[in-house]
Amino acid sequence: MICARCDRHLKDDEAEPINMAAATGAGTTIYLCKGYCKSAPRQTTPHSIRH
């Protein structure tokens, strides 16, 4: 399992499952750390634009 917020690998006792219901279909389950964790950095713009 991987935390949906910080992208850390989690063991069964470290993960908190969250059921994400969908309007149609089966939905999905995501896992988060039981304690607070920071979001992993994400690239939102191309590197060349930031300069």
Side-chain angles (χ1 to χ4, degrees):
M1 286 177 267
I2 296 177
C3 177
R5 188 180 302 133
C6 68
D7 293 340
R8 256 184 7 131
H9 289 278
L10 301 171
K11 296 179 182 170
D12 290 338
D13 60 339
E14 298 174 333
E16 179 180 339
I18 310 257
N19 293 321
M20 302 295 290
T24 60
T28 188
T29 301
I30 63 170
Y31 299 94
L32 297 175
C33 295
K34 284 189 177 180
Y36 177 76
C37 59
K38 288 182 141 185
S39 296
R42 306 257 192 253
Q43 181 176 349
T44 57
T45 60
H47 183 69
S48 59
I49 293 176
R50 287 190 236 167
H51 296 22

